[in-house]
């Protein structure tokens, strides 16, 4: 990070806006910032840190940072910082916060915006993460780029744990801490081993021998099935032929029965056909004519009825029109006087306003009189509150003299809290170690119960398993031998002269072997094999159990060692913490005294705050009273204006009167006038509404009357048309009766009343004819086909029984063969899976050994500490290059076995001593050398082309010769492309710096930045 420009305003002692152009300072490589103590030099570095990270070294969020950082004479603080990152990109960070105008101590949180300079413009970024831009956290930033006051010797004097922690953060050594990952992988691998062992237990019955036996059985079953299939095919052919013959004879009998039934129904169907022909003829001639006749008659009847109704409606409408015309004539005179009455309405409204204004003017005069008294009362109260405020301010000043610095109280309180936490953690760690020792003892007890040798148990179990495996192989060999003999015995019993031997094919068998029954021996061997397998299973289970217990014991031992190391570290922390108690007014072993002092300080603070709250409230009350006084004065002025305005309005209303006179109503009050106005308005409104309503009704009735007359005329016309249509239809029906030679319409109605469905009955007759002819032809064909055949039921039943018996035998043979084949396929898959599981189990066992080795390597963060020590020694070597030169080759830095810094004193035979024995100047030289080496390492990791380094202390501790050496060192950094800035109050150093800034502080205008 290379600074370019810094603008600050309203920050600490900087009241007015100040701008520092760092680009000119960084060009010379070495520059300084000088000024008196308290002038605001360190505030420049704090402004940079706060702009980038929102953090400062002196204040945090709990310290009311925003309020305390803001200049007390300012209402706004603003920081703007331009800088180049390691990629040489230009960025800007801004932070701003404002004071609440109503509450001096309320400062709103800072608003932050980051920008990047692109294409000639500042473009805002979506984030405010400086670490993403610079590549450093705030902690690393203040250790490697800008080192705040009081932090310079921090790295040199850090303890082992804190320094290791810092090295982890700076160099990202956490990536080497793989203990948790290895432990996690170990647990996962053990879980997989347990699961795999459980899976393998389900495959104990799967073996190559079992599969071989089943394959032999399958071969025999296939031969049996083929023989049965051949016999079944012969029986099936004969059965199917007889079955087809039976079907034909049964079909012939059924068809003859069906034909007999159809023949009996034939006469009925012919009669039905004649009736259908007559009905269809009459239907076609008269149905539509009769339908139209009925429709016209119904419509004529409906219209005649409607005519009577319409005539009645016409009479009613005419009567309503006459009634409305009469009402309009009655209201017409009153409606013509309506405009005059409305003018009288307006005059009454003006009179009511006049009466109202007169009443309001009297009320305003009374309120004005009361207002004068209220103003005097408020003035007196304002004076009383002011005197109380002055008295309370003096009381607060007296109480504030006894205040204790809150920062000291907070630091001491933090010390006691940390001390209590450390003691509690120490006790908890002791209890944890005690619990682990108990658990370790319990695990050892489990091993003693199982009576196994922890060192040789693996080899012991292996020997037992191998012995059982050898025994099992011998038994398998015996089993196979007995099975062969059993098979030979079966073949020997099946041999007969003239039949081929299944083994050699010979037809004669002169010497058939006699073999005794060996089934008992075979069963005994099979049982012994099962016993050996069960014993193997028990041994494997015991081995797994022992391995788990030993793993648990080793894990407990490692945890115990780690926890004891943590206990020692906690004890060291407690001792170091005790050394940090530096407050003489308190006692490290007397927290009760501190609690009392803190409570007294809190009580005092409560009293001050209480009085401040009262004072705050009284100031609010004073402000309210002043506002009330101003409000009452404005109200009095408003009353006068209102009275004048209402008087003017009264005169204007009198001039607006047109019909009525003011003097006639002088004694009337506004209530009576309002009643008169309401009565007049009601009468005028009723007259207007009634007249308009009657005209509206007349307008609605006239169109209805005309429409009714037109509808009646159309109805008469339609009735005449219907009467003519009916007459024409009657003539057509009479002509049809003559044409069809039917005596009367009653005969026609009788025929049409028959329940006949022409399409369905026609279809039914047609289907009957088709079925009759089809059945007749089918009988003839079957008689020809069966002329030379006969059918025997007994023969068919016998053949059917033979078919079913043989079919059942074939099904059973196929089922048995399928089951055996499926079992072989299943066992082969299971055996293959078993081999895969065994291979995977072996892989997991090897992985468990490797993980155990890795766990021992990474446990207790040992590997991380090892890597950290390498980085630290490299850092120490880099720092010694400069430290040798600064100390004229008299001193060098060295790391002891625990990783703590020591000093090698070459003036005293190269003996080592503590860094705490260094003088102030020597400590500065050592710290500067380490800080430069650390900054180089960190910024090298950040891949920066140029490096920037700012120091805020230290030169006042150096003598003239030492200053020369330090300056030579700093000047040489320019050749290494490094930029160094220093802050000091020692004015003599200005002569040695190529370019510098001077900070001057004015009591009225605050701090100013001047270029030297």
């Amino acid at each position: 990070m290379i600074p370019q420009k810094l603008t600050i305003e309203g920050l600490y002692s900087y009241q007015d806006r100040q701008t520092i152009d760092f680009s000119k300072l960084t060009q010379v490589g070495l520059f300084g910032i000088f000024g008196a103590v308290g002038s605001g030099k360190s505030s420049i570095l704090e402004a940079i840190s706060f702009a980038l990270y929102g953090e400062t070294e002196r204040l945090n969020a709990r310290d009311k940072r925003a309020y305390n950082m803001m200049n007390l004479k300012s209402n706004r603080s603003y920081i703007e910082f331009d800088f180049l990152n390691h990629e040489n990109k230009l960025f800007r960070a801004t932070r701003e916060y404002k004071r609440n105008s109503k509450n001096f101590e309320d400062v709103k949180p800072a608003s932050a915006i980051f920008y990047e300079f692109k294409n000639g413009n500042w473009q805002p970024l979506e984030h405010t993460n400086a670490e993403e831009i610079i590549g450093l956290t705030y902690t690393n930033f203040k250790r490697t780029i800008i080192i705040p006051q009081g932090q310079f010797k921090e790295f040199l004097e850090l303890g082992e744990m804190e320094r290791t922690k810092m090295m982890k953060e700076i160099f990202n050594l956490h990536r080497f801490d793989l203990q948790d990952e290895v432990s996690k992988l170990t647990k996962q691998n053990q879980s997989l081993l347990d699961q795999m062992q459980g899976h393998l237990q389900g495959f104990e019955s799967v073996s190559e021998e079992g599969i071989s036996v089943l394959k032999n059985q399958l071969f025999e079953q296939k031969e049996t099935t083929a023989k049965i299939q051949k016999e079944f095919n012969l029986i099936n052919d004969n059965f199917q032929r007889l079955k087809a013959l039976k079907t034909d004879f049964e079909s012939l009998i059924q068809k003859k029965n069906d034909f007999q039934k159809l023949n009996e129904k034939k006469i009925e169907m012919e009669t039905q056909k004649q009736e259908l022909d007559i009905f269809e003829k009459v239907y076609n001639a008269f149905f539509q004519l009769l339908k139209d006749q009925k429709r016209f008659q119904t419509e004529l009847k409906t219209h005649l009825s409607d005519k009577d109704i319409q005539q009645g409606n016409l009479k009613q409408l005419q009567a309503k029109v006459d009634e409305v015309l009469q009402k309009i004539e009655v209201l017409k005179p009153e409606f013509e006087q309506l405009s005059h009455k409305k003018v009288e309405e307006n005059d009454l409204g003006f009179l009511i306003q006049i009466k109202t204004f007169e009443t309001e003017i009297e009320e305003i005069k009374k309120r004005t009189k009361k207002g004068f008294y209220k103003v005097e009362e408020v003035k007196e109260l304002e004076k009383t509150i002011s005197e109380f405020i002055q008295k309370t301010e003096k009381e607060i000043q007296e109480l504030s003299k006894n205040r204790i610095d809150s920062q000291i109280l907070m630091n001491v309180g933090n010390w006691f809290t940390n001390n209590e936490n450390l003691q509690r953690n120490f006790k908890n760690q002791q209890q944890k170690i005690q619990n682990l020792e108990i658990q370790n003892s319990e695990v050892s007890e489990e091993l003693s119960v199982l009576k196994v040798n922890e060192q040789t148990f693996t080899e012991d179990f292996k020997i037992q398993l191998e012995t059982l495996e050898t025994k099992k192989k011998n038994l398998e060999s015996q089993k196979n031998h007995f099975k062969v003999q059993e098979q030979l015995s079966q073949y020997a019993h099946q041999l007969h002269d003239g039949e081929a031997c299944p083994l050699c094919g010979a037809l004669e068998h002169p010497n058939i072997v006699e073999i005794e029954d060996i089934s008992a021996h075979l069963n005994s061997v099979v049982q012994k094999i099962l016993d050996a397998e069960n014993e193997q299973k028990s041994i494997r289970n015991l081995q797994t159990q022992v391995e788990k217990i030993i793993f648990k014991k080793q894990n407990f031992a490692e945890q115990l060692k780690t926890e004891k190391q943590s206990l020692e570290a906690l004890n060291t922390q407690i001792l170091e913490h005790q050394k940090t108690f530096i407050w003489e007014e308190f006692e490290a072993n007397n927290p009760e005294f501190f609690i009392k002092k803190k409570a007294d300080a809190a009580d005092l603070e409560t009293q001050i705050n209480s009085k401040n709250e009262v004072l705050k409230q009284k100031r609010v009350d004073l402000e309210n009273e002043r506002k009330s006084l101003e409000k009452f004065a404005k109200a009095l002025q408003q009353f006068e204006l209102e009275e004048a305005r209402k008087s003017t309005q009264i005169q204007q209303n009198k001039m607006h009167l047109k019909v009525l006179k003011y003097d006639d109503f002088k004694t009337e009050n506004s209530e009576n006038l309002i009643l008169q106005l309401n009565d007049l308005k009601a009468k005028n409104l009723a007259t207007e509404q009634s007249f308009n309503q009657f005209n509206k009704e007349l307008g609605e009735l006239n169109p209805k009357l005309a429409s009714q007359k037109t509808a009646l005329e159309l109805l008469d016309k339609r009735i005449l048309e219907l009467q003519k249509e009916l007459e024409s239809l009657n003539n057509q029906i009479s002509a049809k009766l003559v044409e069809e030679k039917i005596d009367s319409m009653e005969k026609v109605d009788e025929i049409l009343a028959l329940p006949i469905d022409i399409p369905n009955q026609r279809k039914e007759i047609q289907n009957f004819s088709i079925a009759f002819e089809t059945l007749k032809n089918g009988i003839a064909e079957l008689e020809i086909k069966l002329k030379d055949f006969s059918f025997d039921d007994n023969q068919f039943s016998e053949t059917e029984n033979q078919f079913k018996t043989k079919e059942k035998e074939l099904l059973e043979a196929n089922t048995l063969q399928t089951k055996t084949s499926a079992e072989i396929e299943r066992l082969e898959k299971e055996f293959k899976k078993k081999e895969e599981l065994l291979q995977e189990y072996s892989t997991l066992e090897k992985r468990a050994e490797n993980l155990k080795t890795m766990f021992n390597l990474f446990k207790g963060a040992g590997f991380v500490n090892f890597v950290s020590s390498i980085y630290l020694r490299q850092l120490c070597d880099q720092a010694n290059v400069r430290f040798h030169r600064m100390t004229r080759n008299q001193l060098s830095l060295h790391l002891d076995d625990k990783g703590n810094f020591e000093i090698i004193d070459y003036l005293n035979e190269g003996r080592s001593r503590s860094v705490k024995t260094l003088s102030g100047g020597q400590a500065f030289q050592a710290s500067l050398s380490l800080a430069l080496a650390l900054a180089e390492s960190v910024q090298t990791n950040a891949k920066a082309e140029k490096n920037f380094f700012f120091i805020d202390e230290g030169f006042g501790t150096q003598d003239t010769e030492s200053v020369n050496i330090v300056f030579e060192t700093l000047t040489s950094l320019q050749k290494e492309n490094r930029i160094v800035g220093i802050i000091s109050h020692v004015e003599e150093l200005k002569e040695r710096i190529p370019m510098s800034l001077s900070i001057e502080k004015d009591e009225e205008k605050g701090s100013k930045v001047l270029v030297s």
Side-chain angles (χ1 to χ4, degrees):
M1 189 276 295
I2 308 297
Q4 296 295 300
K5 186 174 71 172
L6 174 68
T7 300
I8 52 178
E9 176 185 349
L11 183 76
Y12 289 124
S13 59
Y14 292 89
Q15 182 178 341
D16 298 330
R17 177 170 290 208
Q18 301 292 306
T19 300
I20 300 174
D21 186 358
F22 279 105
S23 61
K24 296 179 181 179
L25 297 174
T26 56
Q27 285 176 359
V28 298
L30 178 64
F31 66 91
I33 299 176
F34 296 92
V37 175
S39 61
K41 304 185 297 300
S42 298
S43 299
I44 294 173
L45 301 191
E46 281 205 51
I48 294 173
S49 299
F50 189 68
L52 291 172
Y53 294 95
E55 296 285 347
T56 65
E57 192 61 26
R58 283 192 283 181
L59 299 171
N60 56 38
R62 294 192 302 267
D63 298 325
K64 296 177 65 175
R65 179 167 57 201
Y67 170 77
N68 287 312
M69 286 182 68
M70 183 178 286
N71 184 277
L72 294 175
K73 293 182 180 180
S74 302
N75 293 321
R76 171 180 179 264
S77 288
Y78 179 73
I79 306 172
E80 180 180 287
F81 180 52
D82 297 353
F83 61 95
L84 294 170
N85 74 339
H86 59 273
E87 297 174 328
N88 208 33
K89 293 181 179 179
L90 183 59
F91 291 89
R92 170 175 290 174
T94 65
R95 291 188 188 265
E96 179 182 17
Y97 44 100
K98 298 180 180 179
R99 195 186 304 278
N100 189 335
S101 60
K102 297 181 180 180
N103 184 355
F104 184 81
E105 295 185 0
D106 180 20
V107 179
K108 297 178 181 178
S111 61
I113 305 176
F114 280 26
Y115 301 86
E116 183 178 358
F117 193 75
K118 288 183 178 181
N119 303 322
N121 294 309
W122 287 106
Q123 299 181 10
L125 303 179
E126 296 180 354
H127 67 87
T128 57
N129 187 356
E131 182 179 350
E132 184 177 326
I133 298 172
I134 299 175
L136 295 171
T137 63
Y138 172 62
T139 303
N140 295 340
F141 180 80
K142 69 178 184 176
R143 285 172 173 161
T144 59
I145 292 183
I146 293 180
I147 302 182
Q149 211 170 43
Q151 300 284 320
F152 203 71
K153 294 193 295 181
E154 178 190 22
F155 182 53
L156 181 66
E157 297 179 353
L158 279 178
E160 178 189 2
M161 291 182 64
E162 287 297 321
R163 187 185 295 112
T164 302
K165 181 180 178 182
M166 190 189 86
M167 295 292 287
K168 288 179 182 178
E169 292 177 357
I170 291 178
F171 295 105
N172 192 24
L173 301 185
H174 297 287
R175 66 186 187 274
F176 298 110
D177 188 2
L178 303 175
Q179 179 178 352
D180 292 340
E181 291 297 324
V182 173
S183 180
K184 182 179 177 183
L185 289 173
T186 301
K187 290 178 181 178
Q188 290 175 352
N189 194 71
Q190 186 59 42
S191 176
L192 291 173
L193 274 170
D194 294 342
Q195 293 175 19
M196 196 64 64
Q197 193 170 23
H199 289 163
L200 284 170
Q201 289 176 356
F203 292 93
E204 292 178 351
S205 61
V206 180
S207 64
E208 287 182 309
E209 293 79 3
I211 296 172
S212 177
V213 170
L214 284 176
K215 286 183 176 179
N216 291 334
Q217 292 178 3
L218 181 63
F219 177 76
E220 295 172 0
Q221 290 167 2
K222 285 182 177 179
E223 288 184 342
T224 303
T225 304
K227 181 179 178 183
I228 295 172
Q229 182 70 51
K230 186 176 180 181
E231 295 171 354
F232 174 77
N233 291 339
L234 293 174
I235 296 172
N236 184 49
D237 292 341
N238 187 34
F239 175 70
Q240 295 300 330
R241 180 181 60 77
L242 291 175
K243 188 178 179 181
L245 189 62
K246 179 185 178 185
T247 301
D248 288 341
F249 273 101
E250 289 175 350
S251 177
L252 179 61
I253 295 170
Q254 183 63 41
K255 285 184 177 183
K256 285 182 177 181
N257 292 334
D258 292 342
F259 183 75
Q260 180 64 33
K261 293 177 183 177
L262 289 178
N263 200 28
E264 293 173 356
K265 193 177 179 182
K266 185 177 182 183
I267 298 172
E268 180 186 345
M269 295 304 294
E270 290 176 350
T271 303
Q272 187 176 343
K273 183 176 181 302
Q274 292 175 0
E275 291 177 354
L276 181 62
D277 292 340
I278 294 170
F279 178 84
E280 190 173 10
K281 179 181 178 184
V282 172
Y283 180 88
N284 292 335
F286 291 96
F287 179 76
Q288 189 59 44
L289 291 172
L290 292 174
K291 183 178 178 182
D292 292 342
Q293 182 188 44
K294 185 176 181 181
R295 179 170 58 82
F296 288 138
Q297 287 174 347
T298 301
E299 187 179 356
L300 179 61
K301 184 178 179 182
T302 302
H303 286 329
L304 289 172
S305 176
D306 288 346
K307 181 178 180 181
D308 294 338
I309 295 170
Q310 296 292 348
Q311 286 176 340
N313 291 340
L314 182 61
K315 290 179 181 179
Q316 290 177 0
L317 282 172
Q318 188 63 53
K320 286 183 180 180
V321 169
D322 295 341
E323 182 183 355
V324 171
L325 286 171
Q326 185 178 359
K327 290 178 180 179
I328 290 173
E329 289 299 320
V330 172
L331 281 174
K332 193 172 183 180
E334 294 182 11
F335 183 77
E336 290 174 350
Q337 292 293 321
L338 196 59
S339 59
H340 180 76
K341 293 291 184 181
K342 286 192 175 181
V343 173
E344 189 176 337
E345 253 183 57
N346 292 334
D347 285 356
L348 280 172
F350 287 131
L351 288 170
I352 291 168
Q353 286 183 358
I354 290 170
K355 291 296 180 181
T356 302
F357 289 150
E358 288 175 348
T359 303
E360 289 174 352
I361 287 172
E362 291 298 322
E363 184 64 27
I364 289 171
K365 288 179 178 179
K366 292 178 184 179
R367 293 177 66 186
T368 302
K369 187 175 180 181
K370 289 181 180 178
F372 283 117
Y373 291 119
K374 188 65 178 177
V375 167
E376 294 300 321
E377 182 182 339
V378 171
K379 286 180 179 179
E380 188 64 28
L381 184 59
E382 180 186 359
K383 181 180 178 183
T384 303
I385 294 173
S386 297
E387 292 173 352
F388 180 83
I389 289 173
Q390 293 175 0
K391 179 183 176 183
T392 306
E393 286 175 342
K394 290 180 180 178
E395 292 174 354
I396 291 173
Q397 289 175 359
E398 290 299 321
L399 289 172
S400 298
K401 293 177 181 178
N402 298 322
R403 270 180 169 171
I404 301 176
D405 189 351
S406 60
Q407 185 63 41
I408 293 176
L409 285 174
M410 185 173 66
N411 292 339
V412 176
N414 289 338
W415 189 93
F416 278 115
T417 301
N418 292 336
N419 190 60
E420 183 182 351
N421 291 336
L422 287 170
Q423 296 292 344
R424 183 171 58 251
N425 292 340
F426 187 80
K427 291 179 181 178
N428 292 339
Q429 193 66 23
Q430 285 179 324
Q431 184 63 42
K432 191 184 292 185
I433 290 171
Q434 185 178 354
N435 293 338
L436 282 172
E437 288 174 344
I438 293 170
Q439 290 175 322
N440 195 31
S441 177
E442 291 174 351
V443 172
S444 299
E445 183 65 25
E446 289 182 27
L447 278 177
S448 64
V449 170
L450 294 173
K451 297 180 180 179
V452 294
N453 189 327
E454 187 175 345
Q455 304 299 325
T456 64
F457 78 94
T458 303
E459 189 64 29
D460 294 342
F461 283 127
K462 183 178 179 182
I463 292 170
Q464 293 180 43
L465 289 171
E466 288 176 352
T467 302
L468 285 171
E469 188 63 30
T470 303
K471 180 180 177 181
K472 197 170 73 169
K473 286 181 179 178
N474 293 333
L475 290 170
E476 288 287 351
S477 177
Q478 293 179 32
K479 174 185 166 186
N480 292 334
H481 175 70
F482 286 136
K483 280 200 169 186
V484 170
Q485 287 188 315
E486 186 180 46
Q487 290 290 332
L488 288 173
S489 175
Q490 291 178 4
Y491 287 134
H493 288 301
Q494 292 175 1
L495 291 177
H496 301 286
D497 289 336
E499 293 183 2
C501 174
L503 296 177
C504 64
L507 298 176
E508 295 180 356
H509 320 289
N511 297 313
I512 298 175
V513 67
E514 293 292 336
I515 301 174
E516 63 176 339
D517 185 8
I518 57 159
S519 58
H521 297 293
L522 181 60
N523 292 336
S524 175
V525 170
V526 170
Q527 184 60 45
K528 288 179 181 179
I529 291 172
L530 290 175
D531 292 342
E533 288 177 346
N534 290 333
E535 191 173 352
Q536 280 182 319
K537 181 178 179 182
S538 299
I539 291 173
R540 287 194 183 99
N541 290 338
L542 180 59
Q543 183 180 4
T544 302
Q545 184 181 358
V546 171
E547 287 174 347
K548 288 180 179 178
I549 293 172
I550 290 176
F551 178 78
K552 192 186 296 183
K553 182 179 179 182
Q554 291 172 349
N555 195 25
F556 281 146
E558 291 167 358
Q559 289 183 34
L560 194 59
K561 182 179 178 182
T562 302
E563 298 301 338
K564 285 182 178 179
Q565 290 174 353
S566 299
L567 184 67
E568 291 176 4
L570 279 172
N571 189 42
T572 303
Q573 281 185 270
I574 290 171
L575 295 175
E576 291 294 328
H577 185 66
Q578 293 290 333
K579 295 176 184 178
T580 61
F581 194 87
I582 58 174
W583 302 279
E584 296 178 356
E585 62 269 33
F586 298 103
E587 298 175 8
N589 297 323
N590 191 359
E592 293 78 11
F593 177 72
F594 164 72
I595 293 170
K596 183 178 180 305
K597 280 286 187 181
K598 186 177 180 182
D600 293 341
D603 291 340
L604 180 63
E605 199 66 31
T606 302
Q607 293 179 41
I608 294 173
N609 291 338
S610 176
K611 289 186 178 294
N612 276 324
E613 287 297 322
V614 173
L615 187 63
K616 183 178 177 182
Q617 184 59 45
K618 287 297 180 182
R619 283 174 176 160
V620 172
D621 294 342
L622 180 62
E623 184 65 24
N624 291 338
E625 293 302 328
R626 287 174 178 170
K627 289 180 180 178
S628 297
L629 183 62
E630 184 180 353
K631 182 179 71 173
F632 292 144
K634 288 181 180 179
L636 287 175
Q637 185 180 3
Q638 190 65 30
F639 289 160
E640 293 174 358
L641 293 173
E642 188 68 16
E643 182 180 351
R645 186 181 67 78
K646 293 185 182 296
S647 298
T648 303
Q649 190 66 42
I650 289 172
Q651 295 302 321
Q652 290 177 352
N653 284 357
K654 286 180 180 180
M655 294 172 63
H656 290 153
L657 294 174
K658 294 181 179 179
V659 178
L660 304 179
K661 294 181 178 180
Y662 173 75
D663 294 336
D664 295 340
F665 297 90
K666 201 168 185 180
T667 57
E668 293 282 347
N669 56 37
S670 59
E671 288 78 8
N672 292 333
L673 291 175
I674 290 171
L675 290 174
Q676 292 179 33
L677 176 61
N678 290 338
D679 290 341
L680 183 60
K681 282 184 176 180
K683 289 179 181 179
N684 291 342
L685 182 62
T687 300
E688 185 175 10
Q689 287 180 345
S690 298
F691 189 80
N692 290 337
Q693 181 62 31
F694 292 144
N695 275 309
K696 182 179 178 183
E697 289 180 8
L698 184 62
E700 292 173 351
L701 288 170
N702 282 332
K704 290 181 181 179
L705 183 63
S707 176
Q708 190 65 37
K709 289 178 180 178
T710 302
L712 195 59
E713 292 173 358
L714 292 173
L715 198 57
D716 287 337
K717 183 178 180 182
R718 181 55 182 162
I719 289 170
L720 288 174
E721 291 174 353
L722 287 172
Q723 288 173 346
K724 290 180 181 179
E725 291 286 348
L726 277 172
E727 185 179 354
S728 174
L729 277 174
N730 290 333
N731 293 333
Q732 291 179 36
I733 290 170
S734 298
K736 278 290 180 183
L737 286 171
V738 175
E739 181 181 344
E740 298 296 336
K741 299 178 181 179
I742 298 175
D743 298 339
S744 63
M745 280 303 298
E746 287 76 9
K747 184 66 174 177
V748 173
D749 293 336
E750 182 183 347
I751 293 171
L752 292 178
L754 292 172
I756 294 176
D757 185 353
I758 296 173
N760 289 335
Q761 289 193 6
R762 183 71 67 190
K763 185 177 181 181
E764 183 182 355
I765 294 168
Q766 186 178 2
N767 290 340
F768 175 81
S769 299
I770 294 170
F772 184 84
E773 292 300 325
T774 301
L775 201 55
K776 182 180 178 181
N777 294 333
I779 291 170
E781 290 175 359
L782 281 174
E783 286 177 341
I784 294 170
K785 180 180 179 181
L786 301 175
K787 181 176 64 172
D788 299 326
F789 292 96
S790 62
F791 178 75
D792 186 350
D793 283 331
N794 294 329
Q795 182 185 1
F796 177 79
S797 297
E798 183 180 351
T799 306
E800 185 177 21
N801 291 334
Q802 292 175 357
F803 171 80
K804 289 181 179 180
T805 301
K806 193 55 67 177
E807 185 180 39
K808 184 178 180 181
E809 289 180 12
L810 182 61
L811 179 62
E812 290 173 352
N814 281 326
T815 302
L816 183 60
Q817 179 182 329
T818 302
K819 286 181 179 179
T820 305
S821 179
E823 181 65 13
I824 290 171
E825 185 178 357
R826 183 188 71 81
L827 287 175
E828 286 178 339
K829 289 180 180 178
E830 293 291 303
F831 186 76
K832 184 178 180 182
K833 191 173 182 181
K834 180 180 180 180
E835 289 181 330
E836 292 173 354
L837 289 174
L838 286 170
Q839 185 177 359
E840 191 173 349
Y841 185 83
S842 176
T843 303
L844 289 172
E845 282 185 324
K846 292 178 182 177
R847 191 164 188 253
E849 290 297 322
N850 294 334
L851 286 171
K852 185 177 180 181
T853 302
M854 291 178 68
F855 182 82
N856 292 331
L857 175 65
F858 291 112
K859 69 181 178 181
F863 188 69
V864 176
N865 293 334
F866 172 72
V867 175
S868 175
S869 67
I870 293 174
Y871 275 83
L872 193 58
R873 292 185 190 283
Q874 291 176 350
L875 196 65
C876 185
D877 293 341
Q878 293 175 17
N880 273 327
V881 174
R882 293 189 176 94
F883 189 48
H884 274 307
R885 189 165 63 248
M886 289 183 189
T887 61
R888 307 172 191 85
N889 297 322
Q890 296 176 5
L891 303 174
S892 68
L893 290 167
H894 173 68
L895 287 171
D896 63 12
D897 295 338
K898 295 182 178 180
N900 293 318
F901 284 113
E902 291 182 335
I903 296 298
I904 303 298
D905 192 344
Y906 295 106
L907 296 179
N908 291 285
E909 299 177 356
R911 290 190 173 90
S912 63
R913 55 187 172 93
S914 172
V915 293
K916 295 181 180 179
T917 62
L918 292 173
S919 66
Q922 291 172 333
F924 170 74
Q925 293 171 348
S927 300
L928 177 61
S929 300
L930 278 172
L932 290 171
L934 184 63
E936 287 173 355
S937 298
V938 172
Q939 297 195 36
T940 299
N941 290 338
K943 301 178 182 178
E945 295 179 0
K946 288 185 177 182
N947 296 328
F948 177 71
F949 188 64
F950 220 128
I951 308 170
D952 183 12
E953 65 175 26
F955 293 94
T957 63
Q958 304 292 299
D959 57 27
T960 304
E961 188 175 355
S962 297
V963 168
N964 290 334
I965 296 173
V966 171
F967 266 89
E968 286 176 10
T969 301
L970 296 178
T971 304
S972 67
L973 293 176
Q974 299 178 37
K975 300 176 183 178
E976 301 170 17
N977 216 14
R978 298 293 301 275
I979 301 168
V980 179
I982 62 173
I983 289 181
S984 178
H985 60 276
V986 181
E987 290 293 326
E988 290 81 0
L989 295 177
K990 280 188 179 180
E991 299 175 1
R992 300 175 178 270
I993 304 297
M995 181 174 286
S996 63
L997 301 176
S998 295
I999 311 298
E1000 295 181 358
K1001 185 177 180 181
D1002 184 271
E1003 294 298 328
E1004 294 297 326
K1005 297 182 180 179
S1007 297
K1008 301 287 185 182
V1009 179
L1010 304 174
V1011 179
S1012 300

